[in-house]
Amino acid sequence: MTEPILEVSDLVKHYPLTRGTVFRKQAGAVRAVDGVDLRLGRGETLGIVGESGCGKSTVAKMLVNLERPTAGSIRYKGEDITRLSGRALKAVRRNIQMVFQDPYTSLNPRMTVGDIIGEPYDIHPEVAPKGDRRRKVRELLDVVGLNPEYINRYPHQFSGGQRQRIGIARGLALRPEVIVADEPVSALDVSVQAQVVNLMDRLQSEFDLAYVFIAHDLSVVRHISDRVGVMYLGRIVETGTDTEIYDHPTHPYTQALLSAVPVPDPGAREHRERIILSGDVPSPTDIPSGCRFRTRCWKARERCALEVPALAVPATFAAAGGPAAHDSACHFAEERHVVPEGRHGGGPG
């Protein structure tokens, strides 16, 4: 991989829990993100997947500085943006923009489309002089596949897919280098999802964008991503290229996630192993010792409760090379993927 445009090291976000009314004391913390490392190259798409509540959206908010991390660093072109403020932070924010999850609540219903897309120019007037802004907004509408004549319409006059295109156009207004997309298609119909993902794919080539694409739908992530990070309970448990993750998963959690992806071929569905995890996701206020997945894992042993597994290439796979040689936070990643009776079943999932 080339020199990263965005590099995240040991990123942590804890939300304190307090008790008492007059004399408030901290009684614990929600460990939403608990030591995440990420690298994003120029023009690359990094997909982040995982169950709801695993910390994906919190990572997204920290990347665009909507949330301040408890610890760790976020480096944009080598500069730690968590230490910036004022004009320096404003300059960086111009180059890292966000597309939000819900197109129904992320657009101000009292503003026209032209005002919504053109609002970034009020904050960064050096990008577009006032007399040129309306032309630029019309160009952006055209770029995302909307009629420029819609510039004076309001959000309620558009469908969900069209609203998300407006959100993408707003994200493009300042010509950023990085776009953080926080589940940008999860609120849309399946047919519309494909249209929006294909649009983002085209815009990436056209504007030389790097994406952090967050989703819980693994099929969508595979379509758009170059590399994938799998999150569980605030940490990355496996990372690699899309082929490495989808065709050669080594972490039990990734294997369970992939076994739940719908398969359109009925014949293939009947012969596919379906992994049903036992138990529920532990609370982020009471994370298990050692490997945080061990309470639901069929490979778990005593070592898993005592040692936190490092996110690294397993030794045997590293020596052999090939698609299995990618980072996995599992003590027993090299063991053959066999699930005990009672933890899996056939049929559609």
Side-chain angles (χ1 to χ4, degrees), residues 57-105:
S57 292
T58 305
V59 169
K61 290 173 184 176
M62 286 191 285
L63 292 180
V64 296
N65 223 265
L66 290 178
E67 291 272 10
R68 286 282 189 175
T70 304
S73 65
I74 303 170
R75 296 187 178 276
Y76 169 70
K77 294 183 176 178
E79 184 174 27
D80 188 355
I81 65 175
T82 64
R83 301 178 181 274
L84 300 180
S85 60
R87 291 183 179 179
L89 179 58
K90 180 180 175 182
V92 169
R93 277 180 165 164
R94 172 184 164 182
N95 290 303
I96 306 175
Q97 291 290 299
M98 189 167 185
V99 175
F100 295 91
Q101 176 178 357
D102 189 353
Y104 294 92
T105 59

mmCIF file of all heavy atoms in Angstrom, residues 57-105:
data_model
loop_
_atom_site.group_PDB
_atom_site.id
_atom_site.type_symbol
_atom_site.label_atom_id
_atom_site.label_comp_id
_atom_site.label_asym_id
_atom_site.label_seq_id
_atom_site.Cartn_x
_atom_site.Cartn_y
_atom_site.Cartn_z
ATOM 1 N N SER A 57 -20.059 3.673 13.747
ATOM 2 C CA SER A 57 -20.470 5.074 13.577
ATOM 3 C C SER A 57 -19.672 6.008 14.478
ATOM 4 O O SER A 57 -19.414 7.156 14.118
ATOM 5 C CB SER A 57 -21.968 5.234 13.858
ATOM 6 O OG SER A 57 -22.729 4.571 12.860
ATOM 7 N N THR A 58 -19.265 5.522 15.643
ATOM 8 C CA THR A 58 -18.436 6.342 16.530
ATOM 9 C C THR A 58 -17.083 6.604 15.893
ATOM 10 O O THR A 58 -16.548 7.722 15.965
ATOM 11 C CB THR A 58 -18.250 5.652 17.900
ATOM 12 O OG1 THR A 58 -19.540 5.351 18.444
ATOM 13 C CG2 THR A 58 -17.496 6.534 18.866
ATOM 14 N N VAL A 59 -16.514 5.598 15.232
ATOM 15 C CA VAL A 59 -15.266 5.786 14.490
ATOM 16 C C VAL A 59 -15.461 6.841 13.406
ATOM 17 O O VAL A 59 -14.639 7.749 13.239
ATOM 18 C CB VAL A 59 -14.782 4.459 13.871
ATOM 19 C CG1 VAL A 59 -13.642 4.705 12.886
ATOM 20 C CG2 VAL A 59 -14.319 3.493 14.960
ATOM 21 N N ALA A 60 -16.581 6.741 12.672
ATOM 22 C CA ALA A 60 -16.863 7.701 11.599
ATOM 23 C C ALA A 60 -16.906 9.127 12.135
ATOM 24 O O ALA A 60 -16.332 10.050 11.544
ATOM 25 C CB ALA A 60 -18.182 7.344 10.919
ATOM 26 N N LYS A 61 -17.584 9.335 13.244
ATOM 27 C CA LYS A 61 -17.715 10.679 13.819
ATOM 28 C C LYS A 61 -16.369 11.228 14.277
ATOM 29 O O LYS A 61 -16.106 12.430 14.155
ATOM 30 C CB LYS A 61 -18.708 10.657 14.981
ATOM 31 C CG LYS A 61 -20.146 10.432 14.547
ATOM 32 C CD LYS A 61 -21.061 10.258 15.754
ATOM 33 C CE LYS A 61 -22.481 9.940 15.316
ATOM 34 N NZ LYS A 61 -23.364 9.674 16.480
ATOM 35 N N MET A 62 -15.505 10.360 14.775
ATOM 36 C CA MET A 62 -14.184 10.821 15.191
ATOM 37 C C MET A 62 -13.318 11.170 13.987
ATOM 38 O O MET A 62 -12.507 12.103 14.046
ATOM 39 C CB MET A 62 -13.507 9.762 16.064
ATOM 40 C CG MET A 62 -14.095 9.674 17.464
ATOM 41 S SD MET A 62 -13.124 8.664 18.610
ATOM 42 C CE MET A 62 -13.527 7.025 18.036
ATOM 43 N N LEU A 63 -13.486 10.463 12.883
ATOM 44 C CA LEU A 63 -12.685 10.742 11.693
ATOM 45 C C LEU A 63 -12.955 12.139 11.140
ATOM 46 O O LEU A 63 -12.059 12.779 10.575
ATOM 47 C CB LEU A 63 -12.955 9.695 10.603
ATOM 48 C CG LEU A 63 -12.475 8.269 10.882
ATOM 49 C CD1 LEU A 63 -12.815 7.358 9.714
ATOM 50 C CD2 LEU A 63 -10.973 8.233 11.154
ATOM 51 N N VAL A 64 -14.204 12.619 11.294
ATOM 52 C CA VAL A 64 -14.543 13.959 10.804
ATOM 53 C C VAL A 64 -14.603 14.972 11.940
ATOM 54 O O VAL A 64 -15.073 16.090 11.764
ATOM 55 C CB VAL A 64 -15.879 13.952 10.022
ATOM 56 C CG1 VAL A 64 -15.773 13.099 8.773
ATOM 57 C CG2 VAL A 64 -17.031 13.470 10.901
ATOM 58 N N ASN A 65 -14.149 14.563 13.124
ATOM 59 C CA ASN A 65 -14.037 15.448 14.274
ATOM 60 C C ASN A 65 -15.375 15.909 14.829
ATOM 61 O O ASN A 65 -15.467 16.975 15.438
ATOM 62 C CB ASN A 65 -13.154 16.656 13.949
ATOM 63 C CG ASN A 65 -12.198 16.979 15.077
ATOM 64 O OD1 ASN A 65 -12.496 17.811 15.913
ATOM 65 N ND2 ASN A 65 -11.058 16.298 15.114
ATOM 66 N N LEU A 66 -16.422 15.127 14.625
ATOM 67 C CA LEU A 66 -17.690 15.404 15.295
ATOM 68 C C LEU A 66 -17.657 14.889 16.722
ATOM 69 O O LEU A 66 -18.452 15.312 17.558
ATOM 70 C CB LEU A 66 -18.849 14.749 14.532
ATOM 71 C CG LEU A 66 -19.203 15.361 13.182
ATOM 72 C CD1 LEU A 66 -20.322 14.583 12.520
ATOM 73 C CD2 LEU A 66 -19.588 16.833 13.319
ATOM 74 N N GLU A 67 -16.763 13.930 16.978
ATOM 75 C CA GLU A 67 -16.505 13.422 18.332
ATOM 76 C C GLU A 67 -15.005 13.507 18.577
ATOM 77 O O GLU A 67 -14.205 13.200 17.693
ATOM 78 C CB GLU A 67 -16.954 11.960 18.468
ATOM 79 C CG GLU A 67 -18.443 11.754 18.427
ATOM 80 C CD GLU A 67 -19.091 11.868 19.796
ATOM 81 O OE1 GLU A 67 -18.402 12.303 20.744
ATOM 82 O OE2 GLU A 67 -20.281 11.532 19.906
ATOM 83 N N ARG A 68 -14.635 13.908 19.783
ATOM 84 C CA ARG A 68 -13.223 13.938 20.165
ATOM 85 C C ARG A 68 -12.844 12.601 20.784
ATOM 86 O O ARG A 68 -13.545 12.113 21.688
ATOM 87 C CB ARG A 68 -12.972 15.056 21.177
ATOM 88 C CG ARG A 68 -12.990 16.443 20.565
ATOM 89 C CD ARG A 68 -11.686 16.726 19.841
ATOM 90 N NE ARG A 68 -11.592 18.125 19.416
ATOM 91 C CZ ARG A 68 -10.527 18.641 18.853
ATOM 92 N NH1 ARG A 68 -9.454 17.895 18.657
ATOM 93 N NH2 ARG A 68 -10.512 19.903 18.484
ATOM 94 N N PRO A 69 -11.758 11.966 20.356
ATOM 95 C CA PRO A 69 -11.371 10.684 20.935
ATOM 96 C C PRO A 69 -10.895 10.825 22.374
ATOM 97 O O PRO A 69 -10.365 11.867 22.771
ATOM 98 C CB PRO A 69 -10.239 10.202 20.016
ATOM 99 C CG PRO A 69 -9.710 11.430 19.371
ATOM 100 C CD PRO A 69 -10.860 12.381 19.258
ATOM 101 N N THR A 70 -11.084 9.758 23.140
ATOM 102 C CA THR A 70 -10.554 9.699 24.494
ATOM 103 C C THR A 70 -9.039 9.539 24.462
ATOM 104 O O THR A 70 -8.318 10.073 25.298
ATOM 105 C CB THR A 70 -11.194 8.524 25.257
ATOM 106 O OG1 THR A 70 -12.618 8.668 25.217
ATOM 107 C CG2 THR A 70 -10.736 8.479 26.701
ATOM 108 N N ALA A 71 -8.558 8.786 23.479
ATOM 109 C CA ALA A 71 -7.123 8.562 23.308
ATOM 110 C C ALA A 71 -6.872 8.133 21.873
ATOM 111 O O ALA A 71 -7.803 7.842 21.113
ATOM 112 C CB ALA A 71 -6.620 7.498 24.285
ATOM 113 N N GLY A 72 -5.596 8.118 21.485
ATOM 114 C CA GLY A 72 -5.224 7.703 20.135
ATOM 115 C C GLY A 72 -5.033 8.876 19.196
ATOM 116 O O GLY A 72 -5.196 10.045 19.581
ATOM 117 N N SER A 73 -4.685 8.580 17.958
ATOM 118 C CA SER A 73 -4.413 9.628 16.972
ATOM 119 C C SER A 73 -5.099 9.334 15.651
ATOM 120 O O SER A 73 -5.333 8.178 15.299
ATOM 121 C CB SER A 73 -2.897 9.764 16.739
ATOM 122 O OG SER A 73 -2.376 8.580 16.153
ATOM 123 N N ILE A 74 -5.437 10.416 14.935
ATOM 124 C CA ILE A 74 -5.967 10.336 13.565
ATOM 125 C C ILE A 74 -5.085 11.242 12.722
ATOM 126 O O ILE A 74 -5.128 12.474 12.880
ATOM 127 C CB ILE A 74 -7.436 10.798 13.496
ATOM 128 C CG1 ILE A 74 -8.312 9.970 14.439
ATOM 129 C CG2 ILE A 74 -7.953 10.708 12.064
ATOM 130 C CD1 ILE A 74 -9.719 10.523 14.604
ATOM 131 N N ARG A 75 -4.280 10.671 11.872
ATOM 132 C CA ARG A 75 -3.329 11.461 11.079
ATOM 133 C C ARG A 75 -3.814 11.599 9.637
ATOM 134 O O ARG A 75 -4.043 10.606 8.958
ATOM 135 C CB ARG A 75 -1.940 10.819 11.108
ATOM 136 C CG ARG A 75 -1.326 10.794 12.499
ATOM 137 C CD ARG A 75 0.115 10.317 12.505
ATOM 138 N NE ARG A 75 0.651 10.367 13.858
ATOM 139 C CZ ARG A 75 1.166 11.444 14.421
ATOM 140 N NH1 ARG A 75 1.223 12.571 13.726
ATOM 141 N NH2 ARG A 75 1.614 11.417 15.656
ATOM 142 N N TYR A 76 -3.965 12.851 9.228
ATOM 143 C CA TYR A 76 -4.290 13.162 7.829
ATOM 144 C C TYR A 76 -3.037 13.725 7.176
ATOM 145 O O TYR A 76 -2.523 14.759 7.609
ATOM 146 C CB TYR A 76 -5.433 14.181 7.771
ATOM 147 C CG TYR A 76 -5.667 14.762 6.402
ATOM 148 C CD1 TYR A 76 -6.202 13.996 5.369
ATOM 149 C CD2 TYR A 76 -5.340 16.092 6.137
ATOM 150 C CE1 TYR A 76 -6.404 14.530 4.116
ATOM 151 C CE2 TYR A 76 -5.550 16.644 4.878
ATOM 152 C CZ TYR A 76 -6.074 15.856 3.875
ATOM 153 O OH TYR A 76 -6.261 16.394 2.636
ATOM 154 N N LYS A 77 -2.510 13.011 6.218
ATOM 155 C CA LYS A 77 -1.246 13.371 5.564
ATOM 156 C C LYS A 77 -0.130 13.581 6.587
ATOM 157 O O LYS A 77 0.661 14.518 6.505
ATOM 158 C CB LYS A 77 -1.422 14.634 4.703
ATOM 159 C CG LYS A 77 -2.336 14.446 3.507
ATOM 160 C CD LYS A 77 -2.390 15.720 2.663
ATOM 161 C CE LYS A 77 -3.223 15.515 1.411
ATOM 162 N NZ LYS A 77 -3.311 16.753 0.605
ATOM 163 N N GLY A 78 -0.125 12.721 7.598
ATOM 164 C CA GLY A 78 0.930 12.746 8.595
ATOM 165 C C GLY A 78 0.689 13.663 9.775
ATOM 166 O O GLY A 78 1.434 13.624 10.758
ATOM 167 N N GLU A 79 -0.359 14.500 9.745
ATOM 168 C CA GLU A 79 -0.628 15.447 10.824
ATOM 169 C C GLU A 79 -1.772 14.941 11.692
ATOM 170 O O GLU A 79 -2.836 14.567 11.183
ATOM 171 C CB GLU A 79 -0.985 16.822 10.257
ATOM 172 C CG GLU A 79 -1.187 17.888 11.315
ATOM 173 C CD GLU A 79 -1.401 19.270 10.716
ATOM 174 O OE1 GLU A 79 -1.896 19.355 9.575
ATOM 175 O OE2 GLU A 79 -1.064 20.252 11.396
ATOM 176 N N ASP A 80 -1.551 14.924 13.004
ATOM 177 C CA ASP A 80 -2.565 14.444 13.941
ATOM 178 C C ASP A 80 -3.666 15.490 14.086
ATOM 179 O O ASP A 80 -3.482 16.532 14.717
ATOM 180 C CB ASP A 80 -1.920 14.153 15.296
ATOM 181 C CG ASP A 80 -2.880 13.462 16.266
ATOM 182 O OD1 ASP A 80 -4.062 13.301 15.918
ATOM 183 O OD2 ASP A 80 -2.440 13.105 17.369
ATOM 184 N N ILE A 81 -4.835 15.207 13.508
ATOM 185 C CA ILE A 81 -5.913 16.198 13.495
ATOM 186 C C ILE A 81 -6.633 16.282 14.837
ATOM 187 O O ILE A 81 -7.396 17.218 15.078
ATOM 188 C CB ILE A 81 -6.921 15.926 12.364
ATOM 189 C CG1 ILE A 81 -7.671 14.599 12.590
ATOM 190 C CG2 ILE A 81 -6.221 15.928 11.014
ATOM 191 C CD1 ILE A 81 -8.757 14.352 11.563
ATOM 192 N N THR A 82 -6.408 15.311 15.727
ATOM 193 C CA THR A 82 -7.055 15.381 17.045
ATOM 194 C C THR A 82 -6.472 16.500 17.892
ATOM 195 O O THR A 82 -7.072 16.909 18.890
ATOM 196 C CB THR A 82 -6.911 14.054 17.808
ATOM 197 O OG1 THR A 82 -5.524 13.804 18.081
ATOM 198 C CG2 THR A 82 -7.482 12.899 17.006
ATOM 199 N N ARG A 83 -5.306 17.004 17.510
ATOM 200 C CA ARG A 83 -4.659 18.077 18.272
ATOM 201 C C ARG A 83 -4.922 19.463 17.669
ATOM 202 O O ARG A 83 -4.444 20.469 18.178
ATOM 203 C CB ARG A 83 -3.145 17.839 18.325
ATOM 204 C CG ARG A 83 -2.770 16.512 18.973
ATOM 205 C CD ARG A 83 -1.269 16.295 18.956
ATOM 206 N NE ARG A 83 -0.907 15.023 19.554
ATOM 207 C CZ ARG A 83 -0.714 14.814 20.852
ATOM 208 N NH1 ARG A 83 -0.859 15.823 21.693
ATOM 209 N NH2 ARG A 83 -0.400 13.631 21.319
ATOM 210 N N LEU A 84 -5.670 19.507 16.566
ATOM 211 C CA LEU A 84 -5.896 20.776 15.878
ATOM 212 C C LEU A 84 -7.130 21.488 16.413
ATOM 213 O O LEU A 84 -8.046 20.873 16.956
ATOM 214 C CB LEU A 84 -6.065 20.541 14.374
ATOM 215 C CG LEU A 84 -4.896 19.881 13.635
ATOM 216 C CD1 LEU A 84 -5.233 19.726 12.155
ATOM 217 C CD2 LEU A 84 -3.623 20.696 13.804
ATOM 218 N N SER A 85 -7.168 22.776 16.215
ATOM 219 C CA SER A 85 -8.343 23.583 16.545
ATOM 220 C C SER A 85 -8.330 24.833 15.665
ATOM 221 O O SER A 85 -7.353 25.097 14.959
ATOM 222 C CB SER A 85 -8.329 23.978 18.031
ATOM 223 O OG SER A 85 -7.171 24.742 18.330
ATOM 224 N N GLY A 86 -9.420 25.582 15.712
ATOM 225 C CA GLY A 86 -9.479 26.852 14.978
ATOM 226 C C GLY A 86 -9.299 26.698 13.480
ATOM 227 O O GLY A 86 -9.852 25.787 12.857
ATOM 228 N N ARG A 87 -8.503 27.578 12.896
ATOM 229 C CA ARG A 87 -8.321 27.602 11.447
ATOM 230 C C ARG A 87 -7.679 26.332 10.917
ATOM 231 O O ARG A 87 -8.008 25.866 9.817
ATOM 232 C CB ARG A 87 -7.471 28.808 11.052
ATOM 233 C CG ARG A 87 -8.165 30.146 11.246
ATOM 234 C CD ARG A 87 -7.292 31.285 10.759
ATOM 235 N NE ARG A 87 -7.951 32.575 10.925
ATOM 236 C CZ ARG A 87 -7.401 33.730 10.587
ATOM 237 N NH1 ARG A 87 -6.169 33.764 10.080
ATOM 238 N NH2 ARG A 87 -8.067 34.859 10.762
ATOM 239 N N ALA A 88 -6.747 25.771 11.684
ATOM 240 C CA ALA A 88 -6.067 24.549 11.224
ATOM 241 C C ALA A 88 -7.057 23.395 11.104
ATOM 242 O O ALA A 88 -7.028 22.632 10.134
ATOM 243 C CB ALA A 88 -4.945 24.186 12.194
ATOM 244 N N LEU A 89 -7.951 23.254 12.072
ATOM 245 C CA LEU A 89 -8.957 22.201 12.020
ATOM 246 C C LEU A 89 -9.958 22.459 10.899
ATOM 247 O O LEU A 89 -10.372 21.535 10.198
ATOM 248 C CB LEU A 89 -9.679 22.109 13.363
ATOM 249 C CG LEU A 89 -10.789 21.063 13.469
ATOM 250 C CD1 LEU A 89 -10.263 19.668 13.178
ATOM 251 C CD2 LEU A 89 -11.440 21.122 14.849
ATOM 252 N N LYS A 90 -10.333 23.719 10.707
ATOM 253 C CA LYS A 90 -11.268 24.088 9.648
ATOM 254 C C LYS A 90 -10.706 23.716 8.279
ATOM 255 O O LYS A 90 -11.422 23.205 7.410
ATOM 256 C CB LYS A 90 -11.552 25.591 9.713
ATOM 257 C CG LYS A 90 -12.521 26.100 8.670
ATOM 258 C CD LYS A 90 -12.735 27.598 8.820
ATOM 259 C CE LYS A 90 -13.609 28.158 7.716
ATOM 260 N NZ LYS A 90 -13.775 29.623 7.820
ATOM 261 N N ALA A 91 -9.411 23.920 8.075
ATOM 262 C CA ALA A 91 -8.771 23.586 6.799
ATOM 263 C C ALA A 91 -8.794 22.084 6.545
ATOM 264 O O ALA A 91 -9.021 21.638 5.413
ATOM 265 C CB ALA A 91 -7.334 24.108 6.787
ATOM 266 N N VAL A 92 -8.576 21.293 7.593
ATOM 267 C CA VAL A 92 -8.589 19.835 7.440
ATOM 268 C C VAL A 92 -10.002 19.340 7.159
ATOM 269 O O VAL A 92 -10.203 18.449 6.330
ATOM 270 C CB VAL A 92 -8.008 19.153 8.701
ATOM 271 C CG1 VAL A 92 -8.268 17.652 8.679
ATOM 272 C CG2 VAL A 92 -6.517 19.415 8.802
ATOM 273 N N ARG A 93 -10.965 19.916 7.850
ATOM 274 C CA ARG A 93 -12.354 19.485 7.657
ATOM 275 C C ARG A 93 -12.826 19.692 6.213
ATOM 276 O O ARG A 93 -13.705 18.965 5.744
ATOM 277 C CB ARG A 93 -13.267 20.256 8.608
ATOM 278 C CG ARG A 93 -13.314 19.644 10.005
ATOM 279 C CD ARG A 93 -14.222 20.427 10.907
ATOM 280 N NE ARG A 93 -14.563 19.675 12.106
ATOM 281 C CZ ARG A 93 -15.081 20.216 13.200
ATOM 282 N NH1 ARG A 93 -15.291 21.524 13.236
ATOM 283 N NH2 ARG A 93 -15.377 19.481 14.241
ATOM 284 N N ARG A 94 -12.260 20.650 5.537
ATOM 285 C CA ARG A 94 -12.609 20.852 4.132
ATOM 286 C C ARG A 94 -12.246 19.620 3.302
ATOM 287 O O ARG A 94 -12.917 19.300 2.315
ATOM 288 C CB ARG A 94 -11.869 22.087 3.596
ATOM 289 C CG ARG A 94 -12.027 22.263 2.102
ATOM 290 C CD ARG A 94 -11.209 23.417 1.568
ATOM 291 N NE ARG A 94 -11.076 23.331 0.124
ATOM 292 C CZ ARG A 94 -10.384 24.177 -0.620
ATOM 293 N NH1 ARG A 94 -9.766 25.204 -0.047
ATOM 294 N NH2 ARG A 94 -10.310 24.019 -1.920
ATOM 295 N N ASN A 95 -11.200 18.909 3.710
ATOM 296 C CA ASN A 95 -10.704 17.777 2.920
ATOM 297 C C ASN A 95 -11.219 16.427 3.392
ATOM 298 O O ASN A 95 -10.953 15.411 2.761
ATOM 299 C CB ASN A 95 -9.166 17.768 2.957
ATOM 300 C CG ASN A 95 -8.583 18.921 2.179
ATOM 301 O OD1 ASN A 95 -8.855 19.085 0.998
ATOM 302 N ND2 ASN A 95 -7.779 19.746 2.838
ATOM 303 N N ILE A 96 -11.943 16.407 4.531
ATOM 304 C CA ILE A 96 -12.545 15.159 5.019
ATOM 305 C C ILE A 96 -14.017 15.436 5.266
ATOM 306 O O ILE A 96 -14.379 16.090 6.241
ATOM 307 C CB ILE A 96 -11.861 14.666 6.319
ATOM 308 C CG1 ILE A 96 -10.352 14.546 6.136
ATOM 309 C CG2 ILE A 96 -12.441 13.317 6.732
ATOM 310 C CD1 ILE A 96 -9.611 14.178 7.414
ATOM 311 N N GLN A 97 -14.857 14.953 4.386
ATOM 312 C CA GLN A 97 -16.288 15.212 4.465
ATOM 313 C C GLN A 97 -17.050 13.926 4.775
ATOM 314 O O GLN A 97 -16.510 12.825 4.689
ATOM 315 C CB GLN A 97 -16.788 15.813 3.149
ATOM 316 C CG GLN A 97 -16.288 17.222 2.894
ATOM 317 C CD GLN A 97 -16.913 18.241 3.822
ATOM 318 O OE1 GLN A 97 -18.120 18.439 3.842
ATOM 319 N NE2 GLN A 97 -16.080 18.905 4.614
ATOM 320 N N MET A 98 -18.319 14.082 5.128
ATOM 321 C CA MET A 98 -19.118 12.937 5.569
ATOM 322 C C MET A 98 -20.442 12.863 4.827
ATOM 323 O O MET A 98 -21.062 13.884 4.526
ATOM 324 C CB MET A 98 -19.376 13.034 7.078
ATOM 325 C CG MET A 98 -19.999 11.792 7.688
ATOM 326 S SD MET A 98 -19.908 11.852 9.508
ATOM 327 C CE MET A 98 -20.560 10.236 9.922
ATOM 328 N N VAL A 99 -20.854 11.637 4.518
ATOM 329 C CA VAL A 99 -22.202 11.358 4.013
ATOM 330 C C VAL A 99 -22.915 10.575 5.107
ATOM 331 O O VAL A 99 -22.443 9.520 5.533
ATOM 332 C CB VAL A 99 -22.166 10.537 2.704
ATOM 333 C CG1 VAL A 99 -23.581 10.167 2.277
ATOM 334 C CG2 VAL A 99 -21.477 11.331 1.600
ATOM 335 N N PHE A 100 -24.046 11.107 5.575
ATOM 336 C CA PHE A 100 -24.718 10.532 6.734
ATOM 337 C C PHE A 100 -25.648 9.391 6.352
ATOM 338 O O PHE A 100 -26.030 9.227 5.190
ATOM 339 C CB PHE A 100 -25.490 11.617 7.480
ATOM 340 C CG PHE A 100 -24.606 12.665 8.089
ATOM 341 C CD1 PHE A 100 -24.281 13.817 7.372
ATOM 342 C CD2 PHE A 100 -24.072 12.504 9.354
ATOM 343 C CE1 PHE A 100 -23.457 14.781 7.920
ATOM 344 C CE2 PHE A 100 -23.248 13.463 9.921
ATOM 345 C CZ PHE A 100 -22.938 14.604 9.192
ATOM 346 N N GLN A 101 -26.047 8.634 7.375
ATOM 347 C CA GLN A 101 -26.826 7.412 7.174
ATOM 348 C C GLN A 101 -28.246 7.681 6.685
ATOM 349 O O GLN A 101 -28.706 7.060 5.728
ATOM 350 C CB GLN A 101 -26.864 6.619 8.483
ATOM 351 C CG GLN A 101 -27.731 5.367 8.426
ATOM 352 C CD GLN A 101 -27.699 4.604 9.734
ATOM 353 O OE1 GLN A 101 -26.992 4.968 10.661
ATOM 354 N NE2 GLN A 101 -28.465 3.530 9.815
ATOM 355 N N ASP A 102 -28.942 8.588 7.352
ATOM 356 C CA ASP A 102 -30.378 8.762 7.099
ATOM 357 C C ASP A 102 -30.635 9.991 6.232
ATOM 358 O O ASP A 102 -30.507 11.119 6.704
ATOM 359 C CB ASP A 102 -31.116 8.897 8.438
ATOM 360 C CG ASP A 102 -32.628 8.869 8.269
ATOM 361 O OD1 ASP A 102 -33.092 8.879 7.117
ATOM 362 O OD2 ASP A 102 -33.341 8.843 9.293
ATOM 363 N N PRO A 103 -31.022 9.791 4.973
ATOM 364 C CA PRO A 103 -31.263 10.944 4.099
ATOM 365 C C PRO A 103 -32.512 11.738 4.471
ATOM 366 O O PRO A 103 -32.749 12.810 3.940
ATOM 367 C CB PRO A 103 -31.418 10.302 2.713
ATOM 368 C CG PRO A 103 -31.910 8.923 2.989
ATOM 369 C CD PRO A 103 -31.265 8.513 4.284
ATOM 370 N N TYR A 104 -33.323 11.192 5.399
ATOM 371 C CA TYR A 104 -34.544 11.889 5.795
ATOM 372 C C TYR A 104 -34.302 12.879 6.932
ATOM 373 O O TYR A 104 -35.057 13.832 7.103
ATOM 374 C CB TYR A 104 -35.618 10.866 6.197
ATOM 375 C CG TYR A 104 -36.074 10.019 5.038
ATOM 376 C CD1 TYR A 104 -35.464 8.809 4.768
ATOM 377 C CD2 TYR A 104 -37.091 10.451 4.185
ATOM 378 C CE1 TYR A 104 -35.858 8.034 3.690
ATOM 379 C CE2 TYR A 104 -37.493 9.689 3.104
ATOM 380 C CZ TYR A 104 -36.874 8.476 2.864
ATOM 381 O OH TYR A 104 -37.254 7.726 1.784
ATOM 382 N N THR A 105 -33.279 12.663 7.734
ATOM 383 C CA THR A 105 -33.017 13.565 8.862
ATOM 384 C C THR A 105 -31.738 14.379 8.690
ATOM 385 O O THR A 105 -31.502 15.308 9.465
ATOM 386 C CB THR A 105 -32.912 12.767 10.180
ATOM 387 O OG1 THR A 105 -31.860 11.807 10.073
ATOM 388 C CG2 THR A 105 -34.219 12.050 10.474
#
